[in-house]
Amino acid sequence: LAKTTQPISMDSYEGQEVNITCSHNNIATNDYITWYQQFPSQGPRFIIQGYKTKVTNEVASLFIPADRKSSTLSLPRVSLSDTAVYYCLVGDDRGSTLGRLYFGRGTQLTVWP
Amino acid sequence: DTEVTQTPKHLVMGMTNKKSLKCEQHMGHRAMYWYKQKAKKPPELMFVYSYEKLSINESVPSRFSPECPNSSLLNLHLHALQPEDSALYLCASSQAGYAGTQYFGPGTRLLVL
């Protein structure tokens, strides 16, 4: 299983762009990269998933370099409500029924006014 | 409907009690998961059900007994728990083979006295 490494915490101000980088040096060919957001006492919420290059949705962008050994979650113009823990997960997905995913330590993002 | 519901929201039990946690989803997902999350820690995978069959048991003690009565329901039966089992128990579901895109419930906050 590919282990992930993320910064433990990050601080930002409202309106700024935030980039959270995750390292996953041992990512396997079949692995996808997925990011989740979690608020206190709530279940994690899926944000975005990608395999390579760039993925964008209404919430965030995910940048994955060609070697796939890292990925960067980009949150444009953050607000106070984006204060949460962000988890980077790497695991087999399409074509697998095992569902073996592991959450790393996550990054606590704090947005200040 | 993209909601996973969990009952109860909170549960206090003694070490000799027997209780059950319930999880329900109506998204047609055929993979369902139980996670355990301690304070300030990431969720830890406990069990995975795929097509109503247990596919992963992450060496969880036998005092935790999962059950999947049908494709929409997932139970976690608790018996003779220890105080260190106090945690937030999260249920999630996904399309089978799409483990990265899991939908989580709000969790059950369990306190074992």
Side-chain angles (χ1 to χ4, degrees), chain A residues 34 36 38 41 43-44 46 49 87 93-96 98-104, chain B residues 33 35 37 41-43 48 50 56 58 90 97-102 104-105 109:
Chain A
T34 311
Y36 282 81
Q38 187 177 26
S41 296
F46 171 88
Q49 183 182 71
Y87 292 102
D93 188 35
R94 320 278 167 108
S96 167
L98 294 180
R100 181 164 264 127
L101 287 177
Y102 291 93
F103 287 78
Chain B
Y33 312 78
Y35 289 84
Q37 186 174 27
K41 298 290 186 183
V48 179
S50 181
I56 294 178
E58 290 290 343
L90 295 161
Y98 287 81
T101 52
Q102 296 182 26
F104 282 81
R109 178 74 62 186

PDB file of all heavy atoms in Angstrom, chain A residues 34 36 38 41 43-44 46 49 87 93-96 98-104, chain B residues 33 35 37 41-43 48 50 56 58 90 97-102 104-105 109:
ATOM      1  N   THR A  34      -7.137  10.286  -4.167  1.00  0.00           N
ATOM      2  CA  THR A  34      -8.426  10.846  -3.757  1.00  0.00           C
ATOM      3  C   THR A  34      -8.223  11.776  -2.564  1.00  0.00           C
ATOM      4  O   THR A  34      -7.417  11.476  -1.685  1.00  0.00           O
ATOM      5  CB  THR A  34      -9.398   9.731  -3.358  1.00  0.00           C
ATOM      6  OG1 THR A  34      -9.413   8.717  -4.377  1.00  0.00           O
ATOM      7  CG2 THR A  34     -10.808  10.273  -3.186  1.00  0.00           C
ATOM      8  N   TYR A  36     -10.216  13.934   0.559  1.00  0.00           N
ATOM      9  CA  TYR A  36     -11.418  14.095   1.359  1.00  0.00           C
ATOM     10  C   TYR A  36     -11.250  15.281   2.291  1.00  0.00           C
ATOM     11  O   TYR A  36     -10.146  15.637   2.685  1.00  0.00           O
ATOM     12  CB  TYR A  36     -11.694  12.850   2.207  1.00  0.00           C
ATOM     13  CG  TYR A  36     -12.300  11.692   1.460  1.00  0.00           C
ATOM     14  CD1 TYR A  36     -11.521  10.837   0.703  1.00  0.00           C
ATOM     15  CD2 TYR A  36     -13.677  11.475   1.517  1.00  0.00           C
ATOM     16  CE1 TYR A  36     -12.089   9.781   0.015  1.00  0.00           C
ATOM     17  CE2 TYR A  36     -14.251  10.404   0.841  1.00  0.00           C
ATOM     18  CZ  TYR A  36     -13.455   9.564   0.096  1.00  0.00           C
ATOM     19  OH  TYR A  36     -14.023   8.527  -0.573  1.00  0.00           O
ATOM     20  N   GLN A  38     -12.804  16.795   6.054  1.00  0.00           N
ATOM     21  CA  GLN A  38     -13.566  16.411   7.233  1.00  0.00           C
ATOM     22  C   GLN A  38     -13.655  17.555   8.227  1.00  0.00           C
ATOM     23  O   GLN A  38     -12.624  18.102   8.644  1.00  0.00           O
ATOM     24  CB  GLN A  38     -12.957  15.181   7.925  1.00  0.00           C
ATOM     25  CG  GLN A  38     -13.829  14.662   9.066  1.00  0.00           C
ATOM     26  CD  GLN A  38     -13.302  13.405   9.716  1.00  0.00           C
ATOM     27  OE1 GLN A  38     -12.098  13.130   9.694  1.00  0.00           O
ATOM     28  NE2 GLN A  38     -14.196  12.620  10.312  1.00  0.00           N
ATOM     29  N   SER A  41     -16.409  16.120  14.122  1.00  0.00           N
ATOM     30  CA  SER A  41     -17.585  15.310  14.453  1.00  0.00           C
ATOM     31  C   SER A  41     -18.489  15.059  13.244  1.00  0.00           C
ATOM     32  O   SER A  41     -19.710  14.885  13.393  1.00  0.00           O
ATOM     33  CB  SER A  41     -18.396  15.965  15.579  1.00  0.00           C
ATOM     34  OG  SER A  41     -17.635  16.003  16.759  1.00  0.00           O
ATOM     35  N   GLY A  43     -18.552  12.933   9.197  1.00  0.00           N
ATOM     36  CA  GLY A  43     -17.832  12.007   8.345  1.00  0.00           C
ATOM     37  C   GLY A  43     -17.075  12.732   7.246  1.00  0.00           C
ATOM     38  O   GLY A  43     -17.448  13.840   6.854  1.00  0.00           O
ATOM     39  N   PRO A  44     -15.988  12.152   6.747  1.00  0.00           N
ATOM     40  CA  PRO A  44     -15.251  12.777   5.639  1.00  0.00           C
ATOM     41  C   PRO A  44     -16.144  12.931   4.411  1.00  0.00           C
ATOM     42  O   PRO A  44     -17.082  12.164   4.204  1.00  0.00           O
ATOM     43  CB  PRO A  44     -14.125  11.774   5.365  1.00  0.00           C
ATOM     44  CG  PRO A  44     -13.969  11.012   6.638  1.00  0.00           C
ATOM     45  CD  PRO A  44     -15.341  10.924   7.213  1.00  0.00           C
ATOM     46  N   PHE A  46     -16.017  13.419   0.207  1.00  0.00           N
ATOM     47  CA  PHE A  46     -15.209  13.311  -1.019  1.00  0.00           C
ATOM     48  C   PHE A  46     -15.094  14.675  -1.684  1.00  0.00           C
ATOM     49  O   PHE A  46     -16.076  15.401  -1.837  1.00  0.00           O
ATOM     50  CB  PHE A  46     -15.887  12.314  -1.964  1.00  0.00           C
ATOM     51  CG  PHE A  46     -15.293  12.263  -3.342  1.00  0.00           C
ATOM     52  CD1 PHE A  46     -14.233  11.423  -3.607  1.00  0.00           C
ATOM     53  CD2 PHE A  46     -15.806  13.048  -4.367  1.00  0.00           C
ATOM     54  CE1 PHE A  46     -13.689  11.364  -4.886  1.00  0.00           C
ATOM     55  CE2 PHE A  46     -15.266  12.998  -5.642  1.00  0.00           C
ATOM     56  CZ  PHE A  46     -14.209  12.147  -5.896  1.00  0.00           C
ATOM     57  N   GLN A  49     -10.936  13.338  -7.184  1.00  0.00           N
ATOM     58  CA  GLN A  49     -10.133  12.142  -7.447  1.00  0.00           C
ATOM     59  C   GLN A  49      -9.481  12.261  -8.817  1.00  0.00           C
ATOM     60  O   GLN A  49     -10.083  12.814  -9.747  1.00  0.00           O
ATOM     61  CB  GLN A  49     -11.010  10.894  -7.405  1.00  0.00           C
ATOM     62  CG  GLN A  49     -10.269   9.578  -7.605  1.00  0.00           C
ATOM     63  CD  GLN A  49     -11.214   8.400  -7.608  1.00  0.00           C
ATOM     64  OE1 GLN A  49     -11.985   8.195  -8.533  1.00  0.00           O
ATOM     65  NE2 GLN A  49     -11.172   7.622  -6.543  1.00  0.00           N
ATOM     66  N   TYR A  87      -7.608  15.074   3.785  1.00  0.00           N
ATOM     67  CA  TYR A  87      -6.901  13.803   3.693  1.00  0.00           C
ATOM     68  C   TYR A  87      -6.603  13.454   2.235  1.00  0.00           C
ATOM     69  O   TYR A  87      -7.468  13.578   1.363  1.00  0.00           O
ATOM     70  CB  TYR A  87      -7.746  12.671   4.272  1.00  0.00           C
ATOM     71  CG  TYR A  87      -7.973  12.733   5.766  1.00  0.00           C
ATOM     72  CD1 TYR A  87      -9.190  13.181   6.277  1.00  0.00           C
ATOM     73  CD2 TYR A  87      -6.990  12.312   6.658  1.00  0.00           C
ATOM     74  CE1 TYR A  87      -9.410  13.213   7.646  1.00  0.00           C
ATOM     75  CE2 TYR A  87      -7.214  12.346   8.022  1.00  0.00           C
ATOM     76  CZ  TYR A  87      -8.422  12.800   8.510  1.00  0.00           C
ATOM     77  OH  TYR A  87      -8.649  12.829   9.862  1.00  0.00           O
ATOM     78  N   ASP A  93      -8.833   1.300  -7.111  1.00  0.00           N
ATOM     79  CA  ASP A  93     -10.216   1.779  -7.198  1.00  0.00           C
ATOM     80  C   ASP A  93     -10.954   1.060  -8.312  1.00  0.00           C
ATOM     81  O   ASP A  93     -11.539   0.022  -8.102  1.00  0.00           O
ATOM     82  CB  ASP A  93     -10.212   3.281  -7.401  1.00  0.00           C
ATOM     83  CG  ASP A  93     -11.590   3.868  -7.318  1.00  0.00           C
ATOM     84  OD1 ASP A  93     -12.386   3.378  -6.519  1.00  0.00           O
ATOM     85  OD2 ASP A  93     -11.880   4.816  -8.062  1.00  0.00           O
ATOM     86  N   ARG A  94     -10.882   1.611  -9.479  1.00  0.00           N
ATOM     87  CA  ARG A  94     -11.643   1.020 -10.572  1.00  0.00           C
ATOM     88  C   ARG A  94     -11.152  -0.401 -10.818  1.00  0.00           C
ATOM     89  O   ARG A  94      -9.980  -0.657 -10.930  1.00  0.00           O
ATOM     90  CB  ARG A  94     -11.464   1.845 -11.856  1.00  0.00           C
ATOM     91  CG  ARG A  94     -11.451   3.326 -11.642  1.00  0.00           C
ATOM     92  CD  ARG A  94     -12.805   3.923 -11.536  1.00  0.00           C
ATOM     93  NE  ARG A  94     -12.773   5.291 -11.028  1.00  0.00           N
ATOM     94  CZ  ARG A  94     -13.021   6.344 -11.767  1.00  0.00           C
ATOM     95  NH1 ARG A  94     -13.271   6.200 -13.046  1.00  0.00           N
ATOM     96  NH2 ARG A  94     -13.008   7.539 -11.236  1.00  0.00           N
ATOM     97  N   GLY A  95     -12.108  -1.281 -10.892  1.00  0.00           N
ATOM     98  CA  GLY A  95     -11.759  -2.661 -11.173  1.00  0.00           C
ATOM     99  C   GLY A  95     -11.484  -3.483  -9.935  1.00  0.00           C
ATOM    100  O   GLY A  95     -11.289  -4.682 -10.013  1.00  0.00           O
ATOM    101  N   SER A  96     -11.487  -2.850  -8.768  1.00  0.00           N
ATOM    102  CA  SER A  96     -11.221  -3.601  -7.544  1.00  0.00           C
ATOM    103  C   SER A  96     -12.468  -3.633  -6.680  1.00  0.00           C
ATOM    104  O   SER A  96     -13.180  -2.647  -6.571  1.00  0.00           O
ATOM    105  CB  SER A  96     -10.081  -2.948  -6.765  1.00  0.00           C
ATOM    106  OG  SER A  96     -10.020  -3.491  -5.452  1.00  0.00           O
ATOM    107  N   LEU A  98     -12.075  -4.643  -3.504  1.00  0.00           N
ATOM    108  CA  LEU A  98     -11.576  -4.795  -2.142  1.00  0.00           C
ATOM    109  C   LEU A  98     -11.788  -3.543  -1.302  1.00  0.00           C
ATOM    110  O   LEU A  98     -11.953  -3.631  -0.099  1.00  0.00           O
ATOM    111  CB  LEU A  98     -10.084  -5.145  -2.166  1.00  0.00           C
ATOM    112  CG  LEU A  98      -9.748  -6.511  -2.763  1.00  0.00           C
ATOM    113  CD1 LEU A  98      -8.255  -6.750  -2.727  1.00  0.00           C
ATOM    114  CD2 LEU A  98     -10.482  -7.607  -2.023  1.00  0.00           C
ATOM    115  N   GLY A  99     -11.789  -2.400  -1.945  1.00  0.00           N
ATOM    116  CA  GLY A  99     -12.043  -1.166  -1.207  1.00  0.00           C
ATOM    117  C   GLY A  99     -11.049  -0.884  -0.126  1.00  0.00           C
ATOM    118  O   GLY A  99     -11.374  -0.295   0.894  1.00  0.00           O
ATOM    119  N   ARG A 100      -9.813  -1.282  -0.341  1.00  0.00           N
ATOM    120  CA  ARG A 100      -8.822  -1.093   0.715  1.00  0.00           C
ATOM    121  C   ARG A 100      -8.224   0.299   0.580  1.00  0.00           C
ATOM    122  O   ARG A 100      -7.307   0.525  -0.199  1.00  0.00           O
ATOM    123  CB  ARG A 100      -7.748  -2.160   0.620  1.00  0.00           C
ATOM    124  CG  ARG A 100      -6.698  -2.038   1.719  1.00  0.00           C
ATOM    125  CD  ARG A 100      -5.882  -3.310   1.843  1.00  0.00           C
ATOM    126  NE  ARG A 100      -6.402  -4.182   2.875  1.00  0.00           N
ATOM    127  CZ  ARG A 100      -6.703  -5.453   2.670  1.00  0.00           C
ATOM    128  NH1 ARG A 100      -6.561  -5.972   1.480  1.00  0.00           N
ATOM    129  NH2 ARG A 100      -7.145  -6.206   3.657  1.00  0.00           N
ATOM    130  N   LEU A 101      -8.762   1.235   1.356  1.00  0.00           N
ATOM    131  CA  LEU A 101      -8.249   2.590   1.380  1.00  0.00           C
ATOM    132  C   LEU A 101      -7.822   2.947   2.789  1.00  0.00           C
ATOM    133  O   LEU A 101      -8.443   2.510   3.760  1.00  0.00           O
ATOM    134  CB  LEU A 101      -9.325   3.592   0.946  1.00  0.00           C
ATOM    135  CG  LEU A 101      -9.685   3.620  -0.522  1.00  0.00           C
ATOM    136  CD1 LEU A 101     -10.803   4.621  -0.749  1.00  0.00           C
ATOM    137  CD2 LEU A 101      -8.486   3.995  -1.368  1.00  0.00           C
ATOM    138  N   TYR A 102      -6.776   3.716   2.887  1.00  0.00           N
ATOM    139  CA  TYR A 102      -6.289   4.121   4.198  1.00  0.00           C
ATOM    140  C   TYR A 102      -6.117   5.625   4.246  1.00  0.00           C
ATOM    141  O   TYR A 102      -5.586   6.234   3.328  1.00  0.00           O
ATOM    142  CB  TYR A 102      -4.966   3.435   4.515  1.00  0.00           C
ATOM    143  CG  TYR A 102      -5.137   1.956   4.729  1.00  0.00           C
ATOM    144  CD1 TYR A 102      -4.980   1.088   3.668  1.00  0.00           C
ATOM    145  CD2 TYR A 102      -5.504   1.446   5.961  1.00  0.00           C
ATOM    146  CE1 TYR A 102      -5.169  -0.271   3.838  1.00  0.00           C
ATOM    147  CE2 TYR A 102      -5.693   0.091   6.138  1.00  0.00           C
ATOM    148  CZ  TYR A 102      -5.525  -0.766   5.074  1.00  0.00           C
ATOM    149  OH  TYR A 102      -5.715  -2.097   5.247  1.00  0.00           O
ATOM    150  N   PHE A 103      -6.584   6.205   5.339  1.00  0.00           N
ATOM    151  CA  PHE A 103      -6.418   7.631   5.564  1.00  0.00           C
ATOM    152  C   PHE A 103      -5.088   7.880   6.253  1.00  0.00           C
ATOM    153  O   PHE A 103      -4.776   7.243   7.250  1.00  0.00           O
ATOM    154  CB  PHE A 103      -7.540   8.163   6.465  1.00  0.00           C
ATOM    155  CG  PHE A 103      -8.876   8.260   5.783  1.00  0.00           C
ATOM    156  CD1 PHE A 103      -9.653   7.149   5.594  1.00  0.00           C
ATOM    157  CD2 PHE A 103      -9.339   9.487   5.321  1.00  0.00           C
ATOM    158  CE1 PHE A 103     -10.882   7.236   4.966  1.00  0.00           C
ATOM    159  CE2 PHE A 103     -10.566   9.589   4.700  1.00  0.00           C
ATOM    160  CZ  PHE A 103     -11.346   8.457   4.520  1.00  0.00           C
ATOM    161  N   GLY A 104      -4.323   8.825   5.736  1.00  0.00           N
ATOM    162  CA  GLY A 104      -3.104   9.258   6.405  1.00  0.00           C
ATOM    163  C   GLY A 104      -3.453  10.217   7.515  1.00  0.00           C
ATOM    164  O   GLY A 104      -4.599  10.323   7.939  1.00  0.00           O
TER     165      GLY A 104
ATOM    166  N   TYR B  33     -18.775   0.117   4.305  1.00  0.00           N
ATOM    167  CA  TYR B  33     -17.570   0.126   5.115  1.00  0.00           C
ATOM    168  C   TYR B  33     -17.881   0.569   6.543  1.00  0.00           C
ATOM    169  O   TYR B  33     -18.738   1.414   6.764  1.00  0.00           O
ATOM    170  CB  TYR B  33     -16.545   1.125   4.541  1.00  0.00           C
ATOM    171  CG  TYR B  33     -16.316   1.017   3.062  1.00  0.00           C
ATOM    172  CD1 TYR B  33     -17.230   1.561   2.150  1.00  0.00           C
ATOM    173  CD2 TYR B  33     -15.179   0.402   2.556  1.00  0.00           C
ATOM    174  CE1 TYR B  33     -17.017   1.478   0.784  1.00  0.00           C
ATOM    175  CE2 TYR B  33     -14.963   0.322   1.184  1.00  0.00           C
ATOM    176  CZ  TYR B  33     -15.891   0.857   0.314  1.00  0.00           C
ATOM    177  OH  TYR B  33     -15.672   0.771  -1.041  1.00  0.00           O
ATOM    178  N   TYR B  35     -15.631   2.296   9.699  1.00  0.00           N
ATOM    179  CA  TYR B  35     -14.383   2.894  10.139  1.00  0.00           C
ATOM    180  C   TYR B  35     -14.513   3.270  11.612  1.00  0.00           C
ATOM    181  O   TYR B  35     -15.592   3.585  12.089  1.00  0.00           O
ATOM    182  CB  TYR B  35     -14.075   4.184   9.374  1.00  0.00           C
ATOM    183  CG  TYR B  35     -13.690   4.018   7.922  1.00  0.00           C
ATOM    184  CD1 TYR B  35     -14.666   3.900   6.935  1.00  0.00           C
ATOM    185  CD2 TYR B  35     -12.359   4.021   7.531  1.00  0.00           C
ATOM    186  CE1 TYR B  35     -14.314   3.788   5.603  1.00  0.00           C
ATOM    187  CE2 TYR B  35     -11.994   3.906   6.195  1.00  0.00           C
ATOM    188  CZ  TYR B  35     -12.983   3.790   5.240  1.00  0.00           C
ATOM    189  OH  TYR B  35     -12.634   3.683   3.914  1.00  0.00           O
ATOM    190  N   GLN B  37     -12.809   6.085  14.355  1.00  0.00           N
ATOM    191  CA  GLN B  37     -11.975   7.277  14.394  1.00  0.00           C
ATOM    192  C   GLN B  37     -11.864   7.788  15.831  1.00  0.00           C
ATOM    193  O   GLN B  37     -12.852   8.176  16.445  1.00  0.00           O
ATOM    194  CB  GLN B  37     -12.531   8.384  13.490  1.00  0.00           C
ATOM    195  CG  GLN B  37     -11.617   9.594  13.400  1.00  0.00           C
ATOM    196  CD  GLN B  37     -12.095  10.616  12.390  1.00  0.00           C
ATOM    197  OE1 GLN B  37     -13.278  10.732  12.095  1.00  0.00           O
ATOM    198  NE2 GLN B  37     -11.152  11.367  11.814  1.00  0.00           N
ATOM    199  N   LYS B  41      -7.320  11.808  15.223  1.00  0.00           N
ATOM    200  CA  LYS B  41      -6.685  10.768  14.418  1.00  0.00           C
ATOM    201  C   LYS B  41      -7.482  10.550  13.139  1.00  0.00           C
ATOM    202  O   LYS B  41      -8.655  10.903  13.077  1.00  0.00           O
ATOM    203  CB  LYS B  41      -6.629   9.450  15.199  1.00  0.00           C
ATOM    204  CG  LYS B  41      -5.818   9.513  16.478  1.00  0.00           C
ATOM    205  CD  LYS B  41      -4.347   9.643  16.194  1.00  0.00           C
ATOM    206  CE  LYS B  41      -3.547   9.560  17.481  1.00  0.00           C
ATOM    207  NZ  LYS B  41      -2.089   9.763  17.221  1.00  0.00           N
ATOM    208  N   PRO B  42      -6.848   9.955  12.113  1.00  0.00           N
ATOM    209  CA  PRO B  42      -7.608   9.664  10.893  1.00  0.00           C
ATOM    210  C   PRO B  42      -8.521   8.458  11.072  1.00  0.00           C
ATOM    211  O   PRO B  42      -8.308   7.658  11.985  1.00  0.00           O
ATOM    212  CB  PRO B  42      -6.505   9.341   9.873  1.00  0.00           C
ATOM    213  CG  PRO B  42      -5.372   8.834  10.702  1.00  0.00           C
ATOM    214  CD  PRO B  42      -5.431   9.604  11.989  1.00  0.00           C
ATOM    215  N   PRO B  43      -9.536   8.334  10.244  1.00  0.00           N
ATOM    216  CA  PRO B  43     -10.377   7.133  10.302  1.00  0.00           C
ATOM    217  C   PRO B  43      -9.562   5.886   9.993  1.00  0.00           C
ATOM    218  O   PRO B  43      -8.679   5.903   9.133  1.00  0.00           O
ATOM    219  CB  PRO B  43     -11.422   7.384   9.204  1.00  0.00           C
ATOM    220  CG  PRO B  43     -11.421   8.855   8.988  1.00  0.00           C
ATOM    221  CD  PRO B  43     -10.014   9.294   9.234  1.00  0.00           C
ATOM    222  N   VAL B  48     -15.023  -4.209   5.392  1.00  0.00           N
ATOM    223  CA  VAL B  48     -15.571  -3.869   4.087  1.00  0.00           C
ATOM    224  C   VAL B  48     -16.515  -4.984   3.667  1.00  0.00           C
ATOM    225  O   VAL B  48     -16.155  -6.165   3.737  1.00  0.00           O
ATOM    226  CB  VAL B  48     -14.474  -3.721   3.009  1.00  0.00           C
ATOM    227  CG1 VAL B  48     -15.101  -3.390   1.655  1.00  0.00           C
ATOM    228  CG2 VAL B  48     -13.473  -2.653   3.402  1.00  0.00           C
ATOM    229  N   SER B  50     -18.722  -6.252   0.357  1.00  0.00           N
ATOM    230  CA  SER B  50     -18.933  -6.097  -1.068  1.00  0.00           C
ATOM    231  C   SER B  50     -19.992  -7.098  -1.502  1.00  0.00           C
ATOM    232  O   SER B  50     -19.829  -8.305  -1.281  1.00  0.00           O
ATOM    233  CB  SER B  50     -17.617  -6.340  -1.823  1.00  0.00           C
ATOM    234  OG  SER B  50     -17.794  -6.162  -3.210  1.00  0.00           O
ATOM    235  N   ILE B  56     -13.267  -7.658   3.697  1.00  0.00           N
ATOM    236  CA  ILE B  56     -12.090  -7.246   4.464  1.00  0.00           C
ATOM    237  C   ILE B  56     -12.458  -7.151   5.941  1.00  0.00           C
ATOM    238  O   ILE B  56     -13.449  -6.538   6.301  1.00  0.00           O
ATOM    239  CB  ILE B  56     -11.543  -5.882   3.994  1.00  0.00           C
ATOM    240  CG1 ILE B  56     -10.996  -5.979   2.572  1.00  0.00           C
ATOM    241  CG2 ILE B  56     -10.447  -5.377   4.935  1.00  0.00           C
ATOM    242  CD1 ILE B  56     -10.484  -4.664   2.033  1.00  0.00           C
ATOM    243  N   GLU B  58     -10.120  -6.008   9.067  1.00  0.00           N
ATOM    244  CA  GLU B  58      -8.780  -5.541   9.388  1.00  0.00           C
ATOM    245  C   GLU B  58      -8.351  -5.975  10.791  1.00  0.00           C
ATOM    246  O   GLU B  58      -8.001  -5.160  11.633  1.00  0.00           O
ATOM    247  CB  GLU B  58      -8.713  -4.004   9.259  1.00  0.00           C
ATOM    248  CG  GLU B  58      -8.812  -3.516   7.844  1.00  0.00           C
ATOM    249  CD  GLU B  58      -7.569  -3.846   7.028  1.00  0.00           C
ATOM    250  OE1 GLU B  58      -6.517  -4.150   7.613  1.00  0.00           O
ATOM    251  OE2 GLU B  58      -7.658  -3.828   5.792  1.00  0.00           O
ATOM    252  N   LEU B  90     -17.781   5.406  11.939  1.00  0.00           N
ATOM    253  CA  LEU B  90     -18.260   5.932  10.672  1.00  0.00           C
ATOM    254  C   LEU B  90     -18.617   4.802   9.721  1.00  0.00           C
ATOM    255  O   LEU B  90     -17.886   3.820   9.597  1.00  0.00           O
ATOM    256  CB  LEU B  90     -17.177   6.796  10.018  1.00  0.00           C
ATOM    257  CG  LEU B  90     -16.792   8.077  10.758  1.00  0.00           C
ATOM    258  CD1 LEU B  90     -15.438   8.576  10.273  1.00  0.00           C
ATOM    259  CD2 LEU B  90     -17.848   9.151  10.554  1.00  0.00           C
ATOM    260  N   GLY B  97     -16.100  -1.481  -6.510  1.00  0.00           N
ATOM    261  CA  GLY B  97     -15.040  -1.241  -7.471  1.00  0.00           C
ATOM    262  C   GLY B  97     -14.704   0.230  -7.616  1.00  0.00           C
ATOM    263  O   GLY B  97     -13.849   0.608  -8.399  1.00  0.00           O
ATOM    264  N   TYR B  98     -15.353   1.089  -6.849  1.00  0.00           N
ATOM    265  CA  TYR B  98     -15.059   2.528  -6.883  1.00  0.00           C
ATOM    266  C   TYR B  98     -14.802   3.004  -5.461  1.00  0.00           C
ATOM    267  O   TYR B  98     -15.425   3.934  -4.962  1.00  0.00           O
ATOM    268  CB  TYR B  98     -16.227   3.308  -7.494  1.00  0.00           C
ATOM    269  CG  TYR B  98     -16.331   3.118  -8.988  1.00  0.00           C
ATOM    270  CD1 TYR B  98     -16.934   1.993  -9.528  1.00  0.00           C
ATOM    271  CD2 TYR B  98     -15.801   4.063  -9.866  1.00  0.00           C
ATOM    272  CE1 TYR B  98     -17.002   1.816 -10.897  1.00  0.00           C
ATOM    273  CE2 TYR B  98     -15.883   3.897 -11.230  1.00  0.00           C
ATOM    274  CZ  TYR B  98     -16.487   2.759 -11.742  1.00  0.00           C
ATOM    275  OH  TYR B  98     -16.555   2.589 -13.093  1.00  0.00           O
ATOM    276  N   ALA B  99     -13.860   2.328  -4.798  1.00  0.00           N
ATOM    277  CA  ALA B  99     -13.645   2.551  -3.371  1.00  0.00           C
ATOM    278  C   ALA B  99     -13.217   3.974  -3.068  1.00  0.00           C
ATOM    279  O   ALA B  99     -13.421   4.460  -1.972  1.00  0.00           O
ATOM    280  CB  ALA B  99     -12.595   1.575  -2.862  1.00  0.00           C
ATOM    281  N   GLY B 100     -12.608   4.650  -4.021  1.00  0.00           N
ATOM    282  CA  GLY B 100     -12.125   5.985  -3.722  1.00  0.00           C
ATOM    283  C   GLY B 100     -13.225   6.994  -3.524  1.00  0.00           C
ATOM    284  O   GLY B 100     -13.033   8.009  -2.867  1.00  0.00           O
ATOM    285  N   THR B 101     -14.376   6.759  -4.072  1.00  0.00           N
ATOM    286  CA  THR B 101     -15.468   7.728  -3.963  1.00  0.00           C
ATOM    287  C   THR B 101     -16.488   7.211  -2.975  1.00  0.00           C
ATOM    288  O   THR B 101     -17.551   6.716  -3.349  1.00  0.00           O
ATOM    289  CB  THR B 101     -16.112   7.974  -5.332  1.00  0.00           C
ATOM    290  OG1 THR B 101     -16.457   6.710  -5.917  1.00  0.00           O
ATOM    291  CG2 THR B 101     -15.175   8.714  -6.237  1.00  0.00           C
ATOM    292  N   GLN B 102     -16.150   7.310  -1.719  1.00  0.00           N
ATOM    293  CA  GLN B 102     -17.010   6.815  -0.667  1.00  0.00           C
ATOM    294  C   GLN B 102     -17.855   7.944  -0.092  1.00  0.00           C
ATOM    295  O   GLN B 102     -17.382   9.071   0.074  1.00  0.00           O
ATOM    296  CB  GLN B 102     -16.174   6.182   0.453  1.00  0.00           C
ATOM    297  CG  GLN B 102     -15.410   4.947   0.003  1.00  0.00           C
ATOM    298  CD  GLN B 102     -14.621   4.301   1.106  1.00  0.00           C
ATOM    299  OE1 GLN B 102     -14.941   4.424   2.279  1.00  0.00           O
ATOM    300  NE2 GLN B 102     -13.577   3.587   0.721  1.00  0.00           N
ATOM    301  N   PHE B 104     -19.792   9.065   3.233  1.00  0.00           N
ATOM    302  CA  PHE B 104     -19.763   8.781   4.659  1.00  0.00           C
ATOM    303  C   PHE B 104     -21.020   9.285   5.351  1.00  0.00           C
ATOM    304  O   PHE B 104     -21.578  10.324   4.995  1.00  0.00           O
ATOM    305  CB  PHE B 104     -18.555   9.452   5.319  1.00  0.00           C
ATOM    306  CG  PHE B 104     -17.269   8.732   5.088  1.00  0.00           C
ATOM    307  CD1 PHE B 104     -16.574   8.886   3.907  1.00  0.00           C
ATOM    308  CD2 PHE B 104     -16.756   7.886   6.061  1.00  0.00           C
ATOM    309  CE1 PHE B 104     -15.378   8.215   3.691  1.00  0.00           C
ATOM    310  CE2 PHE B 104     -15.554   7.214   5.864  1.00  0.00           C
ATOM    311  CZ  PHE B 104     -14.873   7.379   4.673  1.00  0.00           C
ATOM    312  N   GLY B 105     -21.408   8.543   6.383  1.00  0.00           N
ATOM    313  CA  GLY B 105     -22.454   9.007   7.274  1.00  0.00           C
ATOM    314  C   GLY B 105     -21.881   9.945   8.319  1.00  0.00           C
ATOM    315  O   GLY B 105     -20.654  10.139   8.378  1.00  0.00           O
ATOM    316  N   ARG B 109     -21.183   8.537  17.838  1.00  0.00           N
ATOM    317  CA  ARG B 109     -20.206   8.806  18.904  1.00  0.00           C
ATOM    318  C   ARG B 109     -20.452   7.828  20.026  1.00  0.00           C
ATOM    319  O   ARG B 109     -21.495   7.854  20.654  1.00  0.00           O
ATOM    320  CB  ARG B 109     -20.367  10.242  19.389  1.00  0.00           C
ATOM    321  CG  ARG B 109     -19.432  10.612  20.546  1.00  0.00           C
ATOM    322  CD  ARG B 109     -18.015  10.794  20.100  1.00  0.00           C
ATOM    323  NE  ARG B 109     -17.842  11.888  19.143  1.00  0.00           N
ATOM    324  CZ  ARG B 109     -16.696  12.152  18.519  1.00  0.00           C
ATOM    325  NH1 ARG B 109     -15.634  11.390  18.745  1.00  0.00           N
ATOM    326  NH2 ARG B 109     -16.629  13.155  17.678  1.00  0.00           N
TER     327      ARG B 109
END
